[in-house]
Amino acid sequence: MKAEDQRESRRPVRRVPVDPAALLTLLVGDQPGRLLHVHEVPARRARYAGWPTWADPVLLAALLGQGIERPWSHQVAAAEAAHRGEHVAISTGTASGKSLGYLLPILTDLMAATHAPNGRGATALYLAPTKALAADQLARIDALALPGARAATCDGDTSPDERRWIRDHANLVLTNPDLLHHSLLPGHERWAPFLRALRYVVVDECHVYRGVFGAHLGAVLRRLRRVAARYRAAPIFVFASATVADPQEHAARLLGMPLTAVTADGSPRGAMTVALWEPPVIEGPDGRPHRVSTLTETGCLLAQCAAADVQTVAFARSRTGVEVVARIARDRSGGALEGRIAAYRGGFLPEERRQLESGLRSGELVALAATNALELGVDVSGLDAVLLAGWPGTLASLWQQAGRAGRSGERSLAVLVADDDPLDTYVVHHPEAIFGRGVEAAVVDPDNPYVLGPHLAAAAAELPVTPADEEYFGAGMRPLLDRLVAGRVLRRRPGGWYWARPDRPTEHVSLRGAGEPVRIVEARTGRVVGTVDEAAAHAQVHTGAVHLHQGQTWVVTELDLPEAAAFVVRGDPGWTTQARSVSDFEIAAELEHHDWGALRCSFGRARVHTRVTSFLRRLPSGEVLGEHPLDLPTRTLDTKGVWWTMPVAELEAVGIPELSIPGAAHAAEHAAIGMLPLFATADRWDIGGVSTDRHPDTGLPTILVYDGHPGGAGFAERGYRRALEWLGATRQAIAACECKTGCPSCIQSPKCGNGNEPLDKRLAVVLLDLTLRWARGG
């Protein structure tokens, strides 16, 4: 079971419960302006239920031995639904023990089925988005020491001998979607005995499967259902999720089948104080004011918490950020607490993770800097305080990470430290954006043809595709099959559609992106050190790029596009690089629109053309050392977007001269991109934008915000559906920023291919005022 299960006996009682008000007073010190808002989340009492009558007595005894005397109501509701044979989505808060809800029926059935002739009358598959989570779950199951429960992890690091044993003997396999896609499904004949007995499939942390990643998982699950049916198996699917707006709909879209939802959280939690914090503005070395970086501020706060013996985890959004936060915390502690402050990054060995857990439980570790809790796979529930270095991407993620603080019945503190960008600035100045609304809906489009097409090819290599497979792949299957036949990827025969090439189709599909990934290859040894999405390769690993991968700095010596490889050498030259590009777009088809008086807002298909033309070399001070041309081809992205048009006369009437339209539109576009993640479960890097003072397809000034993935990912559509709220928040974010002409907190973008030129902050507000006035009825 996961760390979130009710096993308080594993962690010693805190010597002195944390007092959030006193801790905030300590953190604020003599700069009260940093603390912008404090919100109190009330405590919640536990709701218990009786153990299911069908639960195995040996399993119940093992749970009792771990200190779990009574289950919470949502755990029993999920277990009963799965035991009845219903697909289930369980969506409750962090530290609410979701895993017990599916392990009760799974382990009960696995133990009962050991009496089958082959000793394996039932099997189960557990899917986690990371290897660390699967390994952590295995440790929890092994700790129960149940007879007949033969659990094992199987991933890319598992040796051939271990895989053979797992295929032949394990009845609970813990893995990730990538292994399912690349190995288990293509080699399903070797897994036939396991698949024939497959009774349960668990999809853990399913809220992370959104956008293109979610579309890929949806296709993999459909392939799994189809292959399982070949062996006369119809497994029960259980989805476990942090709180999202509609977990039932989200899980049903991933699975392609209806589900039962369990959302009433029966677990207790102590009261939580949530603070919104903005780093101060100070005078820089150049004499100009600038805001203290989020990482520096978070590191200082972590050091103060550690010095006060308040056990704290600080979440940063990158591995590099984690190292910076931990280093600053250690430096500020003057070495006195150096051994009690740790940094966690991906790639830790299981024993290293267990050592971290042990240190946290014993109190030896008082402060931990880490990437998001998903990547941890470490028991970090029940700490005293949580610091978040920047908006974590979604409101759901914020509550998930904040929920890592709080022992049973005790108060806790969570502090969101704003980053220097429009969204962070907006939410800390508008608390109602966090506390006054529900969490976002997870966006996923399982019918995206750019995702579904390659998976149909993979399915055909597993088993010939037949017309009956529309049950799994939907009505869009036939046109995609015809396209694959025309491209000589598949061959049509009387028995169905067959894979027609000598290679493996799964080699061309990465679940974590769209298109074929570009390998990052160490030039000296030929070792593959990582990959980047094809879409990002031109800007991130062009020849001459300085590329940061897992905390290590590499310089790209050559980008070989035909071979989909970037060759690199290790080393830090002392500067960073930033790609510059030119973009334009065509409107392929308007699917929907709103007429806003003289203005028009549309949603539809767009074709975006981008070419990386050069790159800048910058010193850490920001000084540009030079610009170097690149000879790269134009990339075309067929996607979906939301755009709005404005007549020149209307813009001139409100004080935007025609020559100033590019700067106003460009600034509004940047801020709109930055604010869209507040309304759709997207990351800023999943979204792109283009603006123009006169577009050939519309004949008018036009601003486009589009999904940065082929076929779209659902983010732009969500923006179209909530355009008034989205653009209203965008306007407020720009207007409320304290800067005079524009900064990263409002209109400057870290990924602008035009070097953030031209930008006009004042006129962007005027443009958005005009847009909102017409959108509200003139």
Side-chain angles (χ1 to χ4, degrees):
M1 274 158 289
K2 289 167 120 175
E4 56 195 25
D5 293 332
Q6 55 268 45
R7 292 174 283 108
E8 289 299 320
S9 59
R10 291 192 56 200
R11 194 186 287 279
V13 177
R14 176 83 186 159
R15 295 180 298 278
V16 179
V18 67
D19 179 349
L23 181 57
L24 276 176
T25 301
L26 173 69
L27 297 179
V28 167
D30 59 357
Q31 291 184 297
R34 298 183 294 174
L35 180 61
L36 301 183
H37 183 80
V38 176
H39 180 85
E40 297 294 336
V41 178
R44 182 180 63 221
R45 298 182 64 181
R47 294 194 304 275
Y48 294 101
W51 291 108
T53 55
W54 44 261
D56 189 287
V58 176
L59 171 59
L60 297 184
L63 294 172
L64 183 62
Q66 289 199 341
I68 304 175
E69 298 180 2
R70 291 187 292 171
W72 293 319
S73 56
H74 64 276
Q75 296 170 323
V76 174
E80 292 283 13
H83 185 70
R84 289 193 301 267
E86 300 172 16
H87 304 303
V88 186
I90 177 171
S91 176
T92 52
T94 304
S96 63
K98 291 181 283 288
S99 58
L100 186 60
Y102 53 75
L103 286 177
L104 272 173
I106 289 175
L107 294 175
T108 292
D109 284 8
L110 295 186
M111 293 168 68
T114 56
H115 303 300
N118 66 353
R120 194 165 62 163
T123 60
L125 191 63
Y126 168 91
L127 302 176
T130 64
K131 296 176 185 178
L133 279 174
D136 190 60
Q137 187 75 279
L138 175 65
R140 307 299 175 197
I141 295 168
D142 284 347
L144 293 170
L146 298 172
R150 297 186 298 277
T153 56
C154 186
D155 54 44
D157 298 330
T158 307
S159 69
D161 288 343
E162 289 176 299
R163 287 197 189 195
R164 192 176 303 111
W165 184 93
I166 291 168
R167 288 196 302 265
D168 294 342
H169 301 288
N171 53 12
L172 175 52
V173 174
L174 302 100
T175 185
N176 51 65
D178 306 87
L179 181 125
L180 197 61
H181 166 63
H182 288 288
S183 179
L184 193 152
L185 290 174
H188 61 84
E189 296 93 345
R190 297 193 298 274
W191 288 85
F194 180 89
L195 291 168
R196 195 170 286 116
L198 187 61
R199 192 169 297 180
Y200 294 98
V201 177
V202 175
V203 182
D204 203 0
E205 305 286 1
C206 75
H207 55 279
V208 307
Y209 299 111
R210 60 183 189 261
V212 171
F213 193 18
H216 277 300
L217 181 81
V220 169
L221 293 182
R222 285 157 174 77
R223 287 164 52 198
L224 174 61
R225 288 171 47 208
R226 178 174 173 265
V227 167
R230 157 71 176 78
Y231 296 100
R232 303 182 186 277
I236 302 303
F237 284 80
V238 182
F239 292 80
S241 171
T243 304
V244 293
D246 193 343
Q248 187 171 18
E249 180 185 355
H250 178 57
R253 289 179 70 81
L254 290 173
L255 182 60
M257 300 178 74
L259 299 97
T260 297
V262 175
T263 57
D265 195 336
S267 65
R269 82 150 295 123
M272 176 189 291
T273 299
V274 183
L276 305 184
W277 190 282
E278 186 172 47
V281 175
I282 62 173
E283 184 176 303
D286 56 1
R288 292 186 298 181
H290 72 93
R291 196 171 297 282
V292 173
S293 84
T294 309
L295 298 178
T296 299
E297 187 79 352
T298 304
C300 294
L301 295 176
L302 186 62
Q304 288 179 274
C305 290
D309 201 28
V310 174
Q311 208 168 36
T312 305
V313 61
F315 290 116
R317 290 183 288 193
S318 70
R319 293 170 178 176
T320 305
V322 164
E323 299 291 349
V324 171
V325 169
R327 177 176 53 78
I328 290 171
R330 292 190 192 103
D331 291 347
R332 289 297 177 114
S333 300
L337 296 170
E338 185 167 349
R340 302 186 68 195
I341 299 173
Y344 181 86
R345 55 176 175 76
F348 271 31
L349 297 173
E351 53 268 27
E352 292 174 310
R353 290 190 287 112
R354 299 293 163 250
Q355 188 175 358
L356 273 181
E357 282 188 308
S358 176
L360 289 169
R361 283 196 299 272
S362 67
E364 180 184 345
L365 274 182
V366 72
L368 181 70
T371 47
N372 62 61
L374 247 188
E375 189 171 312
L376 282 171
V378 174
D379 183 352
V380 294
S381 296
L383 304 179
D384 297 316
V386 167
L387 307 175
L388 293 90
W391 178 255
T394 66
L395 193 55
S397 295
L398 181 141
W399 289 119
Q400 184 190 22
Q401 293 182 12
R404 296 291 165 185
R407 302 176 198 281
S408 180
E410 291 187 8
R411 296 184 60 85
S412 61
L413 174 67
V415 181
L416 171 62
V417 183
D419 206 345
D420 206 9
D421 71 32
L423 180 51
D424 285 51
T425 302
Y426 179 84
V427 295
V428 295
H429 284 275
H430 295 82
E432 69 278 5
I434 297 176
F435 307 114
R437 66 189 187 97
V439 296
E440 310 90 343
V443 177
V444 62
D445 178 13
D447 300 319
N448 182 334
Y450 290 86
V451 173
L452 185 56
H455 283 281
L456 282 173
E462 292 154 8
L463 296 167
V465 175
T466 68
D469 289 329
E470 277 195 7
E471 172 191 353
Y472 304 107
F473 301 116
M477 181 185 82
R478 291 297 290 270
L480 288 172
L481 290 173
D482 292 341
R483 192 181 306 170
L484 291 168
V485 170
R488 299 184 179 181
V489 175
L490 299 183
R491 183 180 295 115
R492 180 76 163 99
R493 290 291 182 264
W497 288 265
Y498 292 75
W499 176 246
R501 292 170 47 163
D503 53 349
R504 289 163 52 99
T506 53
E507 294 174 356
H508 305 285
V509 184
S510 167
L511 299 189
R512 313 284 169 154
E516 187 171 356
V518 172
R519 294 166 294 128
I520 302 172
V521 181
E522 187 174 18
R524 185 176 59 85
T525 64
R527 178 174 65 98
V528 176
V529 298
T531 62
V532 295
D533 288 345
E534 179 187 30
H538 288 214
Q540 292 186 14
V541 291
H542 55 77
T543 300
V546 176
H547 183 69
L548 189 66
H549 181 76
Q550 295 191 3
Q552 298 179 346
T553 303
W554 305 82
V555 178
V556 181
T557 58
E558 180 189 4
L559 173 59
D560 188 334
L561 292 174
E563 294 297 323
F567 295 93
V568 297
V569 294
R570 179 82 178 275
D572 186 349
W575 60 75
T576 60
T577 55
Q578 180 182 11
R580 305 199 69 173
S581 62
V582 293
S583 299
D584 61 73
F585 67 97
E586 306 165 32
I587 295 173
E590 181 186 67
L591 302 178
E592 298 182 47
H593 75 273
H594 297 302
D595 281 321
W596 291 343
L599 280 63
R600 184 181 182 100
C601 180
S602 306
F603 168 72
R605 293 194 295 271
R607 184 169 294 117
V608 182
H609 308 286
T610 305
R611 187 167 71 87
V612 175
T613 57
S614 62
F615 69 94
L616 301 178
R617 289 187 300 131
R618 290 183 186 273
L619 292 173
S621 64
E623 179 187 351
V624 176
L625 293 177
E627 181 173 0
H628 306 272
L630 291 169
D631 183 18
L632 289 168
T634 298
R635 293 193 72 259
T636 297
L637 174 69
D638 288 304
T639 186
K640 291 179 180 174
V642 53
W643 63 90
W644 73 98
T645 58
M646 305 145 286
V648 173
E650 292 289 335
L651 293 168
E652 290 181 327
V654 294
I656 305 177
E658 188 167 1
L659 289 177
S660 298
I661 291 174
H666 192 195
E669 168 219 321
H670 278 186
I673 292 170
M675 293 303 297
L676 184 54
L678 190 61
F679 301 91
T681 50
D683 185 274
R684 180 171 186 153
W685 299 88
D686 290 326
I687 309 161
V690 187
S691 55
T692 175
D693 58 347
R694 191 178 299 272
H695 192 272
D697 291 338
T698 65
L700 297 168
T702 305
I703 297 175
L704 167 74
V705 175
Y706 61 87
D707 294 335
H709 301 279
F715 307 134
E717 182 175 4
R718 188 60 56 120
Y720 173 77
R721 304 279 174 227
R722 302 184 66 182
L724 196 58
E725 298 168 83
W726 167 39
L727 297 180
T730 301
R731 187 262 178 214
Q732 290 184 50
I734 301 174
C737 187
E738 299 170 3
C739 72
K740 292 183 179 180
T741 59
C743 69
S745 290
C746 55
I747 62 173
Q748 293 178 2
S749 168
K751 61 174 187 172
C752 180
N754 295 317
N756 284 301
E757 295 178 356
L759 294 174
D760 192 314
K761 176 183 176 179
R762 183 182 68 82
L763 292 183
V765 174
V766 175
L767 182 151
L768 288 165
D769 280 337
L770 172 69
T771 301
L772 291 165
R773 176 162 59 82
W774 281 110
R776 291 167 177 152

